[in-house]
Amino acid sequence: MHVYSTLTRSKENFKTINKNRVNLFVCGPTVYDDAHIGHGRTYISFDTIKRYLEYSGYAVFYIQNITDIDDKIINRSKESGIPAHDIARKFEKRYIEDMTKLNVTGVNLFARATDHVDEIIDQIQRLIDKGYAYETEDGVYFEIDKFPEFGKLSNRNVEELESHRDIAETTKKNPQDFALWKKREGTDEPVWPSPWGNGRPGWHIEDTAITEYYFGPQYDAHGGGLDLIFPHHEAEITQMEAVSGKAPMVEFWLHTGFLNVNGEKMSKSLNNFITIRDLLKDYDADTFRFFVLSTHYRSPIDFSKDSLHQSQKSLEKIKKFYSSLDVEVSDVESDLDELKIAKESFFNGMDDDFNTPKAIAAVFDLINAVKNIKLNDNDKIAIKSFLDDVSNIFGIDFEIQEISTDSDELLDLILNARQELRSAKQYDLSDKIRDDLNKLGYEIND
Ligand code: AMP
């Protein structure tokens, strides 16, 4: 298996520190609002990567941090009057609900920053003791001049470390030094006691404190979106390698491309986002997963309803094919050449830096190749078993959901309620129900 690492900018033969074990860390969300489908893209990608590593025989331990203290959360708290802690817990819960709906179930441990303040303080203290960090009136900073290798992940240099969300302070030796601890004595912001007075952690230190605590100073793979390479991941390497004296902190740095809208990154700040919750009102999770996996995880995705619709159609084709394979169990092997070719192509694709579009193409090639062949039961069972593996790796159910009597009753109930809305002249709502039912494949004629 070959995996691309941002650190070497090349595909490397995948190897692990401990045989068959992968310690994987992916930067989790800052919990101040609902997650959007750009977040969904990143986390579906890593969920699928984990699934494939497990399929390939690795035991994967996957940790995600939850940034539950940060300027954005504090600002939201100031605007709304709701305590920062309550905002963070509410959106953490909603984030995990969203991920569960997307069948993103691979995270073994969610580690909150605020549950690891002791480890954070301990790591900062060791950085100070080793001469890498210093205290000022308003915080503790990493002295970037002391770590000449800064920039090796992103290929940038210190001068480019512009002011970002942790750097507003003035008392630093060098404007590029980044915050490890922010003193907040006498403010109404949440604070934790520390040897440097009451305050809170900087942005980068939570991740290295968490990974050092669970994995040690060196581990196998670290992921996140492309935007985190600089300065966030660069700062993580700087902190961890400085404190441990061991390099590399991480062998494989994996970064997902953005989900864009009209060429721009989907983000809260650009106000061009669709929350996962909203998307799932109109489309099912399988369709969105299939849409995401139709692009390689490192490439950008241009989001549009049209392309999502296209994914829905393509997935239906696989589901129809899958349902045509329903036969009784048989224990005779199939030697169908078309299946052998498809499997080889599928696994070659996945082994080549998790190339899911290539793997999906192998499935369609198979469907087309057997279209005019009379498959016997053994062939059908063998193809079905391959597609079951594909389904587990992609986290997508290929089973067509049957409409049961219960759902007929449910439909009657909805239609009656809609009729009552029409009688009450609430046409906006009744039209919306008609349109939503349309999207689900029901045509309503008044
Ligand atoms: P945040 O909560 O903004 O720190 O983002 C959490 C994770 O989602 C990070 O790994 C981001 O890189 C990723 N992310 C945010 N927006 C997008 C997007 N539009 N496309 C892909 N990944 C994103």
Side-chain angles (χ1 to χ4, degrees):
M1 186 188 303
H2 288 86
V3 177
Y4 183 92
S5 177
T6 309
L7 192 61
T8 56
R9 280 167 198 78
S10 60
K11 285 180 197 168
E12 308 277 336
N13 195 8
F14 189 68
K15 55 184 187 313
T16 54
I17 295 171
N18 297 307
K19 200 165 170 276
N20 292 343
R21 162 108 192 175
V22 178
N23 283 338
L24 166 69
F25 178 82
V26 174
C27 288
T30 305
V31 279
Y32 70 104
D33 208 342
D34 279 332
H36 58 64
I37 59 173
H39 300 122
R41 189 266 161 110
T42 285
Y43 297 124
I44 286 172
S45 299
F46 286 111
D47 185 63
T48 307
I49 287 172
K50 187 202 179 195
R51 284 164 184 268
Y52 189 63
L53 289 172
E54 286 186 332
Y55 180 86
S56 306
Y58 293 100
V60 185
F61 199 85
Y62 175 5
I63 299 179
Q64 225 179 71
N65 68 309
I66 298 278
T67 301
D68 61 345
I69 185 69
D70 172 272
D71 289 344
K72 287 180 184 165
I73 301 171
I74 291 167
N75 291 342
R76 193 50 69 94
S77 161
K78 285 178 182 162
E79 286 157 22
S80 63
I82 301 168
H85 173 274
D86 295 358
I87 293 176
R89 290 296 175 271
K90 173 180 167 182
F91 288 106
E92 174 188 297
K93 182 165 173 280
R94 288 170 71 88
Y95 166 71
I96 292 172
E97 284 167 4
D98 289 348
M99 290 301 126
T100 307
K101 284 196 198 116
L102 291 178
N103 204 16
V104 171
T105 52
V107 178
N108 298 95
L109 178 79
F110 288 103
R112 291 178 187 144
T114 61
D115 286 340
H116 294 83
V117 174
D118 287 350
E119 288 80 39
I120 291 171
I121 290 172
D122 179 69
Q123 198 173 80
I124 297 173
Q125 188 59 58
R126 281 180 288 141
L127 282 168
I128 295 175
D129 295 345
K130 287 190 145 197
Y132 286 106
Y134 60 92
E135 183 181 356
T136 72
E137 301 164 4
D138 60 12
V140 179
Y141 294 92
F142 191 98
E143 190 171 353
I144 218 143
D145 287 343
K146 296 266 172 76
F147 193 80
E149 287 178 73
F150 184 91
K152 62 183 175 183
L153 180 70
S154 58
N155 251 353
R156 300 205 207 183
N157 53 35
V158 174
E159 284 68 44
E160 290 181 77
L161 181 62
E162 290 157 11
S163 154
H164 59 86
R165 61 172 157 171
D166 274 347
I167 303 181
E169 297 80 359
T170 53
T171 56
K172 299 184 282 186
K173 290 187 187 175
N174 183 327
Q176 280 87 24
D177 292 349
F178 58 84
L180 300 170
W181 188 259
K182 300 171 169 194
K183 297 183 182 177
R184 289 293 185 268
E185 193 70 67
T187 67
D188 55 2
E189 297 181 9
V191 288
W192 287 260
S194 82
W196 320 286
N198 286 343
R200 63 184 161 90
W203 176 28
H204 315 301
I205 195 79
E206 68 181 84
D207 290 350
T208 48
I210 287 168
T211 55
E212 187 187 22
Y213 183 65
Y214 293 104
F215 292 156
Q218 293 178 293
Y219 58 99
D220 303 295
H222 187 318
L226 205 59
D227 51 335
L228 299 186
I229 296 176
F230 188 88
H232 187 49
H233 291 162
E234 199 70 74
E236 277 191 50
I237 291 178
T238 303
Q239 292 164 169
M240 193 65 246
E241 294 187 3
V243 85
S244 73
K246 290 184 180 154
M249 163 194 171
V250 162
E251 194 84 35
F252 287 91
W253 283 90
L254 279 63
H255 290 103
T256 47
F258 294 144
L259 182 138
N260 294 326
V261 187
N262 299 325
E264 279 187 312
K265 179 191 171 201
M266 178 173 283
S267 69
K268 290 272 153 62
S269 52
L270 291 173
N271 207 22
N272 60 353
F273 63 91
I274 301 176
T275 62
I276 292 168
R277 272 160 202 255
D278 279 345
L279 188 91
L280 292 180
K281 285 179 192 157
D282 293 338
Y283 294 89
D284 60 29
D286 283 341
T287 298
F288 185 58
R289 277 190 87 106
F290 192 74
F291 169 78
V292 166
L293 298 181
S294 300
T295 302
H296 186 252
Y297 75 91
R298 283 191 285 120
S299 302
I301 298 182
D302 244 317
F303 178 79
S304 72
K305 286 270 166 94
D306 279 352
S307 41
L308 195 58
H309 225 72
Q310 200 50 50
S311 292
Q312 195 172 29
K313 290 233 166 73
S314 305
L315 181 57
E316 270 165 20
K317 200 170 159 190
I318 301 182
K319 289 191 180 199
K320 267 200 191 128
F321 176 68
Y322 183 83
S323 73
S324 74
L325 302 168
D326 245 349
V327 285
E328 292 301 311
V329 181
S330 155
D331 54 9
V332 184
E333 286 282 306
S334 157
D335 59 359
L336 191 69
D337 277 343
E338 287 77 0
L339 178 59
K340 275 189 216 142
I341 293 167
K343 279 186 177 175
E344 197 176 309
S345 168
F346 180 91
F347 291 111
N348 279 345
M350 290 304 290
D351 283 342
D352 180 15
D353 193 28
F354 314 106
N355 194 331
T356 50
K358 210 168 149 191
I360 289 173
V363 173
F364 282 110
D365 286 348
L366 172 66
I367 295 175
N368 288 331
V370 300
K371 204 164 47 189
N372 299 317
I373 297 178
K374 179 102 187 70
L375 297 171
N376 65 35
D377 280 3
N378 299 331
D379 296 335
K380 287 187 181 178
I381 288 164
I383 295 175
K384 191 161 190 260
S385 142
F386 166 58
L387 288 183
D388 285 336
D389 286 348
V390 175
S391 161
N392 285 334
I393 292 165
F394 286 172
I396 294 174
D397 189 0
F398 292 151
E399 209 82 62
I400 293 175
Q401 300 303 320
E402 299 289 338
I403 296 175
S404 66
T405 327
D406 281 357
S407 36
D408 283 342
E409 280 167 14
L410 206 61
L411 198 60
D412 278 341
L413 196 142
I414 295 167
L415 291 175
N416 289 339
R418 180 173 173 271
Q419 207 46 50
E420 282 180 31
L421 287 172
R422 281 168 57 80
S423 309
K425 295 195 168 26
Q426 296 207 31
Y427 295 117
D428 281 357
L429 213 51
S430 71
D431 285 353
K432 184 174 182 323
I433 293 173
R434 184 197 58 212
D435 295 343
D436 286 350
L437 286 171
N438 255 335
K439 279 182 201 146
L440 294 175
Y442 300 103
E443 202 172 322
I444 315 291
N445 296 310
D446 289 314

